[in-house]
Amino acid sequence: MRRVVVTGLGMVSPLACGVEPGWSRLLAGQSGARRIEGFDVSDLACKIAMPVPRGGGDNGSFNPDQWMEPKERRKIDDFILYAVAAAAQALADACWKPSTYEEQIKTGVLIGSGIGGLGGIAETAIVLKERGPRRVSPFFIPGRLINLAAGYVSIQHGLKGPNHSVVTACSSGTHAIGDAGRLVALEDADVMVAGGAESAINRIGIAGFAACRALSTNFNDLPKQASRPYDRDRDGFVMGEGAGCVVLEAYEHAKARGAKIYAELAGYGMSGDAYHITAPQESGDGACRAMAAAIKRAGISPGDIDYINAHGTSTPLGDEIEIRAVERIAGNSGRSLSMSSTKSAIGHLLGAAGAVEAIFSILAIRDQIVPPTLNLDHPSVATEIDLVPHKARKREVEFVLSNSFGFGGTNACLVFKRPQ
Amino acid sequence: MSDVAERVKKIVVEHLGVDADKVIDSANFMEDLGADSLDTVELVMAFEEEFGVEIPDDAAETIVTVGEAIKFLEKASTA
């Protein structure tokens, strides 16, 4: 199999539009949490979220007009808009603009999402019930389908290689990058735009996850304190939204065109819990096997991992299971390991989480610094692992592991390596 | 310009994201204004909404220019 490297990054997150402003705010310990304003939350148990900050496009704000014409935007849900923005950033960052037919057919797209156009589905269901089928827009279906994120990106940039999507709940972004890496390694493509996108901060999305008892409800008046992975007072996740995209490229291809290389995608591992639709398996067996598979594929040992970007959603059950699983994998090397949950700052981006977190992991390698776990005042369990409470920390970072575990018991892990 | 023509042209500008000065009576939605087949379905829905009329599919197929839409809707809304 061919070696695969990362040559471009793009991101729209609750901290900012753009990789650099998002990363610097993350390192500065900022949180994207706020009271929900866009819709009625009076009867919802959870009244907070981490939306993408909108504005004129200056100072890291997200201006939709910069990424898609209003005419097109009317037809789609925001997850596609975020994906289009993140993909455009990543391709520009990679300086990859396929123009010849040969370049176009060797460049593909693989973007996942957990739920796709949930908001548009909910709105259209009301239109159908109240006003009948003749009022259902012809853009209802194409603007909601999950693979249309990859579709729009391919059309916008003329990318005629594999066009694919993945739907594995909160692991979607991680699976998308891992699977796209395989497509490059196996020569289905030389370059892949890969990532995840999500926009489920709407009334039905919050109501649905609240019904699963997955969301934080104790911090409605203190939103920035609500996402507190590993802390004893955590009570659920805070929903985020946005998209992350990376440009993956065959090493030789990147080298031949003199591309800057952020990291090598060294390992990818997957597993299934075969246990419960929403709850993580208590033994953490599935998580362990996914991590072990990624580490094995990278050809390293667990002790080589310097930093783990944890799944760490701030739910009571999952966080501790993940810590125990990592301890089991790391063995005696746990004390030299740093692991943080950046969901403390950006919330849970569901199908985009793995992609955005992979980018943070790659930047940890680039800048030799690990981002913090905010609000970790009182860890609920003792561990030798450095959970990077409150403040980012400079340290040597050669290998990083990024974890994602999704509803349905689907686990995916990526290992990135510092470029030589 | 009649009231109907004005309303039709406003809808076309909004839905197709084109400059108002391109929306002349002879403009063909697909050939001149960049609409695709889904855009034309949505345009017809918007006309129905604005004028409170129903445009059957076989009639909709005959409306391919701005002028034809205006003519159809002038007739339909006085009927």
Side-chain angles (χ1 to χ4, degrees):
Chain A
M1 295 211 296
R2 299 194 292 184
R3 289 172 67 192
V4 180
V5 293
V6 181
T7 56
L9 308 175
M11 185 190 291
V12 177
S13 84
L15 286 176
C17 174
V19 170
E20 299 306 334
W23 176 236
S24 61
R25 287 172 190 180
L26 180 74
L27 294 179
Q30 294 183 24
S31 160
R34 65 190 73 171
R35 204 64 196 187
I36 291 171
E37 283 172 354
F39 53 91
D40 180 24
V41 291
S42 57
D43 55 355
L44 293 172
C46 170
K47 304 177 196 301
I48 56 174
M50 303 221 200
V52 167
R54 299 208 175 203
D58 52 339
N59 197 24
S61 66
F62 179 74
N63 179 358
D65 290 339
Q66 290 179 338
W67 308 101
M68 199 184 257
E69 284 181 34
K71 173 195 172 234
E72 285 301 312
R73 235 162 51 222
R74 272 191 312 111
K75 304 173 183 173
I76 56 158
D77 265 45
D78 283 345
F79 78 102
I80 294 176
L81 174 65
Y82 297 149
V84 160
Q89 293 168 27
L91 282 162
D93 185 37
C95 300
W96 180 240
K97 203 175 183 325
S99 48
T100 68
Y101 182 70
E102 280 308 309
E103 288 172 348
Q104 289 176 332
I105 62 171
K106 294 304 272 181
T107 305
V109 189
L110 205 173
I111 297 174
S113 180
I115 347 189
L118 187 60
I121 292 171
E123 285 164 19
T124 307
I126 293 168
V127 169
L128 177 64
K129 184 168 182 350
E130 293 184 346
R131 305 175 63 204
R134 286 185 63 85
R135 295 267 77 87
V136 172
S137 164
F139 301 108
F140 165 56
I141 295 294
R144 317 277 99 68
L145 294 179
I146 282 176
N147 72 298
L148 262 285
Y152 266 93
V153 168
S154 72
I155 292 164
Q156 203 169 61
H157 300 279
L159 312 181
K160 300 177 180 173
N163 197 269
H164 204 346
S165 190
V166 53
V167 181
T168 51
C170 309
S171 300
S172 303
T174 303
H175 274 124
I177 292 173
D179 289 353
R182 295 266 162 100
L183 294 180
V184 173
L186 293 170
E187 300 182 41
D188 293 284
D190 288 334
V191 183
M192 288 292 296
V193 178
E198 203 75 81
S199 59
I201 304 179
N202 43 51
R203 220 169 120 72
I204 195 169
I206 297 289
F209 279 97
C212 295
R213 300 294 184 269
L215 297 176
S216 168
T217 56
N218 290 341
F219 294 87
N220 285 329
D221 296 322
L222 297 164
K224 290 189 190 316
Q225 293 178 30
S227 186
R228 42 195 319 116
Y230 319 120
D231 188 82
R232 70 178 185 199
D233 296 324
R234 70 186 185 276
D235 71 324
F237 75 77
V238 179
M239 198 187 292
E241 63 170 357
C245 282
V246 299
V247 172
L248 298 176
E249 191 164 350
Y251 172 70
E252 295 298 340
H253 189 273
K255 227 178 113 187
R257 69 181 187 95
K260 98 181 149 263
I261 293 172
Y262 283 99
E264 180 168 349
L265 174 54
Y268 173 39
M270 297 161 274
S271 70
D273 281 352
Y275 173 69
H276 188 267
I277 53 172
T278 60
Q281 189 183 22
E282 277 153 44
S283 72
D285 167 65
C288 275
R289 285 185 290 110
M291 286 188 273
I295 289 167
K296 185 180 173 196
R297 176 69 64 182
I300 57 174
S301 62
D304 294 322
I305 300 287
D306 302 296
Y307 169 65
I308 297 178
N309 188 298
H311 184 58
T313 56
S314 187
T315 49
L317 266 181
D319 289 10
E320 280 174 32
I321 293 174
E322 186 179 17
I323 287 184
R324 293 301 175 226
V326 168
E327 283 175 339
R328 214 156 50 250
I329 289 283
N332 289 332
S333 56
R335 66 178 69 91
S336 62
L337 180 65
S338 294
M339 172 164 102
S340 63
S341 169
T342 47
K343 288 188 179 77
S344 58
I346 60 169
H348 192 352
L349 274 66
L350 309 174
V356 166
E357 290 159 16
I359 293 171
F360 289 152
S361 303
I362 291 161
L363 294 169
I365 290 176
R366 184 193 69 178
D367 293 347
Q368 299 288 290
I369 189 168
V370 293
T373 303
L374 304 184
N375 300 313
L376 180 48
D377 300 331
H378 306 284
S380 66
V381 289
T383 179
E384 281 190 329
I385 301 165
D386 164 34
L387 297 174
V388 204
H390 305 299
K391 280 191 157 46
R393 216 156 62 68
K394 292 293 277 184
R395 62 158 292 161
E396 196 187 358
V397 186
E398 287 290 316
F399 288 96
V400 299
L401 178 69
S402 186
N403 285 346
S404 294
F405 311 131
F407 278 4
T410 174
N411 312 301
C413 303
L414 298 168
V415 172
F416 294 98
K417 177 187 179 184
R418 191 180 188 178
Q420 302 301 309
Chain B
M1 195 160 40
S2 75
D3 168 57
V4 171
E6 213 167 299
R7 283 152 74 194
V8 165
K9 287 180 180 178
K10 187 162 173 277
I11 288 170
V12 173
V13 167
E14 276 170 14
H15 281 259
L16 300 183
V18 289
D19 291 336
D21 54 11
K22 288 199 177 131
V23 187
I24 51 176
D25 284 6
S26 62
N28 182 298
F29 295 124
M30 295 178 87
E31 282 160 26
D32 302 317
L33 301 176
D36 63 20
S37 59
L38 297 181
D39 289 323
T40 59
V41 174
E42 202 194 33
L43 261 187
V44 167
M45 282 175 60
F47 295 147
E48 289 183 330
E49 188 93 334
E50 171 72 20
F51 294 93
V53 297
E54 192 167 311
I55 306 175
D57 285 352
D58 52 352
E61 279 166 24
T62 66
I63 301 173
V64 299
T65 67
V66 174
E68 284 162 0
I70 293 169
K71 206 187 286 173
F72 181 93
L73 290 162
E74 275 174 340
K75 210 183 277 173
S77 49
T78 53

